[in-house]
Amino acid sequence: MGALRGSISFSKFYVRGELPDGFRDTFVERIRLRAFTPLTVEEEADQRSGWCSIENPLDCELDHSKIFFNSYMNLGLRTDRWQIPSPLFKAHFGEAEREHLAKRGREKLGRREKEELKVVVSRRLRAQLLPVMKVIDLSWNLEQGIVRFWNQSPRVHEGLAELFEATFQLDLVPESPYTAARELGLSEAHAAAFEALKPTLFHTDNGRNPLWTSSI
Amino acid sequence: MDLVDLIEKRRFVGREFLVWLWFESELFEGRFEAPGVGPCEVWLEGQITLVQEKEQSRLKGATPAAAPEAHEALRQGKLPTQAKVRVTRGELDYAFVFNADALSLSGVKIPAQVKEESDEQFYERMFLVEDLEELFGALYADFLALRLSTAWESDVAPAIRAWVRGEVIADPEALRRLRKRVTPLGRAPRAQTTPPPGEAPAAGTGALRVA
């Protein structure tokens, strides 16, 4: 599923702010700073996001040719996460706990010991697993200032907005009835009328025109 | 009101847009003519979801919007939040699920692509997606021009209420004529003096009749 092939289900955003002079070179530099870097077993983080090539999520060495498609900027937003199945973790933790207690001739772990043991077991299991990878396509029409993002979860949108702003120093405004109306270039009178709108009731006779009523 | 508030508090406009699309599609047998994009056909088909607070009616079938249950849900005060829409312009045929609250399109089916190269396929896909968005945006602009005019309360909303009650609109073309008197979006209203001879009567005159 994505911009290049497959099902077309995206969320649309308007980019707020001006593109800087020479933005293509600047953007490539900034994207490289926030390109995806793989998780390691030793570090504490259990999840990381960053940019990758839209054509190959394993390719995070980004340059102009991988990013710019004429007037579009295309990127993959890659997120890797350690996901250790709970039964697997519980089984290994139980075993480690028993070994630890037997070695010390005790019956129960202290709170701190338990936390430390959890970290040790997690690391041991991470070394035998691969992180779960998720990639979401992003296509930015640079001429129109519109970003299409192939995901519709508000929680994921928050992460996108954060990374996009940090990378490009520009804001994303989500599509909605209000933002679409504003994009249509409302006159002052229309904009004021829009902001004052109240919902219409279609299932009652409220506001019925007397002339209309007489015609029934 | 800040931007987030404005976005949240105007989501109902998307539902009203979907009601209007549904109403016009039934009234004019799918025929639309949005300014700037020309004639097209719009149909609600496959599925529709209507909601009022926590109550929800989810209807599926070939033309669920035409089913008595869908109109009954409207009569109960439910409004559509999601519907599968088919749009045809010339030889281009699109289908998608329209989410009214977010004004978003998902599961978009675009016309068959002809390009083979990966890059060319991308440009063709985006061309078709943007074509659909332009067309749907023009329909939204057409709706908003009516929604923000005095004709909405005087003529359009009463006509939709009559349709919701199951009454027949005797003179649908009066709705089309009404459009000519509505100020399009993004333009300052023209100074009104005496209407030219032959122009339709002013809004609010009960020009639309139900049988």
Side-chain angles (χ1 to χ4, degrees):
Chain A
M1 291 208 311
L4 305 183
R5 61 191 72 84
S7 163
I8 304 176
S9 291
F10 57 84
S11 297
K12 184 171 160 183
F13 296 85
Y14 299 99
V15 180
R16 291 274 170 267
E18 294 293 316
L19 295 178
D21 289 339
F23 69 87
R24 287 181 186 248
D25 292 338
T26 316
F27 282 178
V28 171
E29 282 171 29
R30 291 184 188 166
I31 289 165
R32 281 182 179 150
L33 287 175
R34 287 173 177 79
F36 179 81
T37 51
L39 288 167
T40 60
V41 172
E42 292 74 28
E43 65 185 317
E44 279 188 22
D46 60 0
Q47 176 175 312
R48 182 176 299 128
S49 296
W51 304 116
C52 65
S53 157
I54 197 168
E55 293 178 293
N56 177 7
L58 301 178
D59 183 359
C60 303
E61 299 286 324
L62 299 168
D63 59 31
H64 284 72
S65 68
K66 295 173 189 172
I67 296 171
F68 294 107
F69 291 57
N70 290 341
S71 58
Y72 295 88
M73 174 190 279
N74 289 341
L75 288 166
L77 173 59
R78 176 173 164 183
T79 302
D80 277 16
R81 190 158 67 91
W82 290 113
Q83 199 169 7
I84 302 171
S86 176
L88 183 75
F89 181 81
K90 277 184 187 164
H92 282 265
F93 180 77
E95 191 179 64
E97 190 179 28
R98 283 190 296 277
E99 281 174 12
H100 188 85
L101 292 172
K103 217 173 182 177
R104 286 162 183 75
R106 286 166 45 200
E107 287 187 359
K108 206 177 168 191
L109 289 180
R111 185 184 287 180
R112 196 172 162 186
E113 277 179 309
K114 208 170 185 174
E115 289 307 313
E116 283 171 359
L117 195 58
K118 276 185 182 174
V119 172
V120 171
V121 172
S122 284
R123 280 190 186 155
R124 204 183 296 157
L125 290 173
R126 283 178 182 185
Q128 298 173 55
L129 298 168
L130 283 174
V132 175
M133 180 176 80
K134 187 174 182 183
V135 184
I136 304 168
D137 287 358
L138 177 148
S139 182
W140 178 359
N141 183 326
L142 296 158
E143 285 175 359
Q144 295 179 356
I146 288 174
V147 165
R148 294 182 183 84
F149 183 59
W150 263 252
N151 179 284
Q152 297 188 313
S153 151
R155 194 174 55 80
V156 177
H157 291 174
E158 281 177 24
L160 165 71
E162 215 171 279
L163 182 63
F164 190 92
E165 195 184 334
T167 308
F168 305 108
Q169 289 156 30
L170 295 165
D171 291 328
L172 289 179
V173 178
E175 176 72 305
S176 72
Y178 174 75
T179 40
R182 210 170 63 167
E183 286 299 312
L184 289 168
L186 300 182
S187 65
E188 263 183 47
H190 275 139
F194 190 91
E195 293 195 13
L197 280 182
K198 297 275 186 287
T200 307
L201 296 178
F202 294 111
H203 63 296
T204 69
D205 290 341
N206 284 359
R208 213 163 165 185
N209 185 336
L211 289 172
W212 177 268
T213 312
S214 67
S215 71
I216 296 172
Chain B
M1 224 186 296
D2 68 14
L3 182 61
V4 175
D5 274 348
L6 282 165
I7 288 174
E8 289 307 319
K9 290 183 175 162
R10 294 293 172 274
R11 292 210 186 271
F12 71 86
V13 179
R15 297 183 186 194
E16 293 188 4
F17 172 48
L18 188 46
V19 170
W20 175 81
L21 273 181
W22 181 2
F23 164 70
E24 293 249 330
S25 177
E26 280 200 5
L27 197 61
F28 297 106
E29 296 176 337
R31 286 176 284 112
F32 283 75
E33 180 136 4
V37 295
C40 62
E41 287 191 12
V42 180
W43 299 96
L44 272 57
E45 60 172 34
Q47 66 181 68
I48 187 164
T49 304
L50 298 105
V51 171
Q52 185 188 32
E53 293 175 3
K54 287 180 181 171
E55 274 189 56
Q56 179 175 296
S57 300
R58 198 176 161 86
L59 305 171
K60 285 189 174 182
T63 52
E69 294 90 339
H71 284 261
E72 180 53 33
L74 282 175
R75 280 193 286 276
Q76 291 168 358
K78 291 177 184 157
L79 289 178
T81 53
Q82 201 181 65
K84 194 166 176 193
V85 180
R86 178 171 293 280
V87 176
T88 306
R89 178 164 57 159
E91 293 180 349
L92 299 178
D93 189 31
Y94 302 91
F96 54 90
V97 174
F98 174 60
N99 181 332
D101 290 355
L103 219 72
S104 69
L105 316 181
S106 60
V108 181
K109 303 273 186 295
I110 52 176
Q113 292 181 268
V114 293
K115 302 284 195 295
E116 288 178 4
E117 291 293 316
S118 164
D119 281 10
E120 293 301 314
Q121 266 190 11
F122 166 74
Y123 297 126
E124 193 181 9
R125 263 164 93 83
M126 294 317 290
F127 171 81
L128 291 167
V129 166
E130 288 171 0
D131 181 65
L132 171 62
E133 282 187 340
E134 185 193 356
L135 176 55
F136 211 59
L139 291 170
Y140 185 58
D142 200 21
F143 157 76
L144 269 190
L146 273 174
R147 182 64 181 88
L148 299 176
S149 73
T150 54
W152 181 262
E153 280 308 326
S154 63
D155 292 280
V156 183
I160 296 176
R161 286 185 195 112
W163 168 76
V164 167
R165 291 194 298 271
E167 294 164 18
V168 176
I169 309 294
D171 183 12
E173 286 309 315
L175 269 176
R176 290 268 154 98
R177 291 194 294 275
L178 197 66
R179 299 278 221 294
K180 293 178 184 161
R181 299 199 306 273
V182 170
T183 311
L185 296 185
R187 296 183 201 168
R190 281 183 300 143
Q192 288 289 316
T193 50
T194 308
E199 194 167 286
T205 55
L208 304 168
R209 301 284 179 208
V210 288

